[in-house]
Amino acid sequence: MSHPKTTSRARGVVATAYLSLFMVSADNSIINTAVPRISASLGAGTPDVQMAIDAYMLVFASSLIIAGSLVDRMGARRSYALGVGVFTAASLLGACAPSVPALVLSRAGMGIGAAFVVPSIFGLFAAELTDEGRRRVLALWPAVVGLGVAVGPVLGGLLLTRFWYGSIFLLNVPVGVLALIGTAVLILPVAPAPAARRPSPVGAVLLLTGIGLFASAIIFAVDDRVPGWLRFGLGAAGLLTLVGYTVHERRTDRPLFDLGYFRERKFTGAVVAMSGLFFALFGTVFLAGQFTQYGLGWSPLQAGAGLLPLAVGLTFASLTCVRLTTWRGPKSVVATGLGLGALGCALCAVAATDLRYPLLAAGLLSCGLGMGWSVGPALTLIVTSLRPADAGVGSSVNAMFQQICGAGGVAVMGLVFSAGYGAKIAGAPGLPTAARSVSGGYDLLAHGSRQSTSWFVHGIGSGLLTAWIIGAVVASAAVVTVLLVLPSPTTTAASLTPGSRKVNV
């Protein structure tokens, strides 16, 4: 007779976990609307504020696998509370930051907290839910992440119309407190799965260094303040360090993560699918902001609202994902979702030819549908490929690839956009050299004569067209990889072990 109560508690655990996931996802995008306000309040240049934005993703990506390994050793409940607590405290520091260094420190703290929160959520779901329940809950994951990414700029714009820039960080504090209360009341303590041996610290240092260097190279790829030789050197050093990490992990008897998982087609195919999708999606969200603000002249608040078709597609697809996966199987649904992502990028590319928002909205809707239909089944494939003792670190590997590929999408598609714009402007007679950068062109051309404005708009469209073609190609390549790598679907009946407190929701 206690089953309904247990089910209610499990639903509360899911709500608590997804509340914090929304907070982490929104924080990754909400700060973008506050760059001018932060610059004015702290007396800092835009590049300095950009450093604070990059600090979050850099620390988040480089800490994920190590944090996931600690999650497996600490237990999901303790690590989740630790991550939420660190994220909330860092948000409070960010709201009151008196200088750029303090803001960078707070953003780095948020990245560390987020690195614990994400793998802990997988651990909580593994402890509380059956395979079928987990499949249903993970189907909602892309909607929560997508809503955070899409709603973040809108919330930021609304807050900044009435309050100081710190309000966008202060918003995290009550959310974090609610998540901590939910942890104390709803989540039962569970002993962590026994680990055979403590992982080698050498592997942890090599991985942290390699990911940090490689992620830095990706983040700074479009930063003209960093010399090209240094960006190349960071990327090369990061790759070499990661090669050293791979060699060490193969030889040690205390690996941080069992690389043998990559021989599992189900795991590898799902990770590739997520990586390709996040490359195209993050790049698309970034380019959509350039489309609406530079191309259409919208305000940050209007630009944030312009992303709502993405959220609509995500929500609809997430709610129908389980039924569709049951009918067609995970391989077909993941491939279809990636195909819709590629179609969305293609529609956005066509929209860039004459800067039509309705066609952009259709592309964003298609990308949202693609993400909503592919992420849930891919996450389920990843989680069910892992041994219980590796749930935290295994899910962190996937999240790390998502972050790096997402940052790569912004960097590569952003770089192609800037290059395409510059090439178009360079071919125009009589325009100043400074106008060949997007920001310079906006200052010098966008508000000038009709002819200069026309050149600026055509330059924006030209750069966006080429960049979105890159996104469509990457998503299409991921479709082909999924069709070749993912195994044919198998149906496994979800069972409830006698005496288990795992439930469906």
Side-chain angles (χ1 to χ4, degrees):
M1 298 298 293
S2 61
H3 184 72
K5 182 186 293 186
T6 306
T7 303
S8 298
R9 187 187 60 76
R11 287 174 176 166
V13 171
V14 172
T16 300
Y18 274 161
L19 179 65
S20 61
L21 181 64
F22 177 85
M23 174 179 69
V24 168
S25 302
D27 196 75
N28 208 11
S29 62
I30 194 172
I31 192 174
N32 292 318
T33 60
V35 171
R37 185 73 63 85
I38 294 174
S39 299
S41 299
L42 299 181
T46 299
D48 296 321
V49 179
Q50 189 66 39
M51 187 183 303
I53 297 175
D54 295 339
Y56 178 83
M57 184 173 292
L58 176 61
V59 174
F60 185 20
S62 59
S63 303
L64 266 167
I65 295 184
I66 295 174
S69 178
L70 292 173
V71 167
D72 291 330
R73 304 185 68 84
M74 295 170 59
R77 183 177 187 266
R78 290 172 60 194
S79 58
Y80 176 77
L82 174 64
V84 172
V86 170
F87 193 95
T88 304
S91 297
L92 187 60
L93 173 62
C96 307
S99 62
V100 171
L103 183 60
V104 171
L105 180 64
S106 72
R107 292 288 292 170
M110 293 179 209
I112 293 174
F116 277 90
V117 167
V118 173
S120 296
I121 291 176
F122 284 97
L124 292 176
F125 290 169
E128 296 287 343
L129 306 174
T130 63
D131 288 345
E132 177 62 25
R134 193 161 59 232
R135 187 177 298 113
R136 292 179 179 278
V137 167
L138 287 177
L140 299 175
W141 185 286
V144 177
V145 173
L147 285 173
V149 172
V151 174
V154 179
L155 286 175
L158 289 173
L159 289 170
L160 292 173
T161 58
R162 292 181 173 269
F163 306 106
W164 88 112
Y165 82 87
S167 60
I168 65 173
F169 302 122
L170 199 62
L171 183 67
N172 294 330
V173 176
V175 176
V177 170
L178 283 175
L180 288 173
I181 292 173
T183 303
V185 173
L186 297 170
I187 302 176
L188 300 178
V190 179
R197 296 184 183 181
R198 186 181 298 274
S200 168
V202 176
V205 171
L206 286 172
L207 181 65
L208 183 63
T209 304
I211 294 297
L213 290 171
F214 189 69
S216 298
I218 291 175
I219 289 172
F220 295 134
V222 294
D223 192 340
D224 293 333
R225 298 171 300 156
V226 181
W229 62 266
L230 180 56
R231 284 176 276 178
F232 177 80
L234 286 171
L239 285 175
L240 288 175
T241 306
L242 290 175
V243 170
Y245 162 75
T246 303
V247 172
H248 174 270
E249 291 290 283
R250 287 185 175 277
R251 293 180 176 178
T252 184
D253 58 352
R254 296 184 295 158
L256 184 66
F257 175 70
D258 184 0
L259 298 178
Y261 279 120
F262 285 103
R263 292 194 294 268
E264 173 68 38
R265 292 172 60 193
K266 187 166 66 170
F267 179 85
T268 301
V271 168
V272 169
M274 298 280 279
S275 300
L277 182 66
F278 273 72
F279 180 99
L281 180 71
F282 275 46
T284 292
V285 171
F286 171 77
L287 293 178
Q290 315 306 303
F291 185 110
T292 52
Q293 294 189 71
Y294 286 124
L296 301 180
W298 289 7
S299 69
L301 179 59
Q302 291 173 315
L307 291 173
L308 290 179
L310 179 73
V312 171
L314 273 166
T315 302
F316 174 81
S318 298
L319 293 176
T320 58
C321 178
V322 173
R323 182 174 299 177
L324 186 63
T325 304
T326 302
W327 176 44
R328 299 297 300 171
K331 180 177 181 177
S332 297
V333 176
V334 171
T336 300
L338 286 168
L340 284 170
L343 174 63
C345 288
L347 289 172
C348 291
V350 175
T353 57
D354 55 2
L355 298 178
R356 288 177 289 171
Y357 176 75
L359 199 53
L360 175 70
L364 292 175
L365 179 65
S366 181
C367 286
L369 290 170
M371 183 178 181
W373 276 328
S374 59
V375 170
L379 281 175
T380 301
L381 290 172
I382 290 169
V383 172
T384 55
S385 300
L386 301 169
R387 294 184 294 269
D390 294 331
V393 68
S395 60
S396 294
V397 170
N398 172 61
M400 180 197 70
F401 275 105
Q402 289 176 28
Q403 290 298 316
I404 291 178
C405 290
V410 173
V412 173
M413 294 172 71
L415 189 62
V416 171
F417 161 63
S418 298
Y421 166 84
K424 188 73 173 180
I425 296 300
L431 295 182
T433 303
R436 295 180 185 179
S437 71
V438 176
S439 58
Y442 182 74
D443 294 335
L444 296 172
L445 306 178
H447 307 292
S449 65
R450 179 176 298 180
Q451 185 177 12
S452 65
T453 301
S454 176
W455 275 112
F456 176 75
V457 171
H458 280 88
I460 292 294
S462 177
L464 289 171
L465 170 64
T466 309
W468 262 312
I469 290 175
I470 297 296
V473 169
V474 171
S476 299
V479 174
V480 175
T481 304
V482 163
L483 292 175
L484 293 176
V485 175
L486 272 184
S488 300
T490 56
T491 304
T492 304
S495 61
L496 186 65
T497 304
S500 171
R501 58 182 182 83
K502 296 183 179 181
V503 296
N504 287 315
V505 292

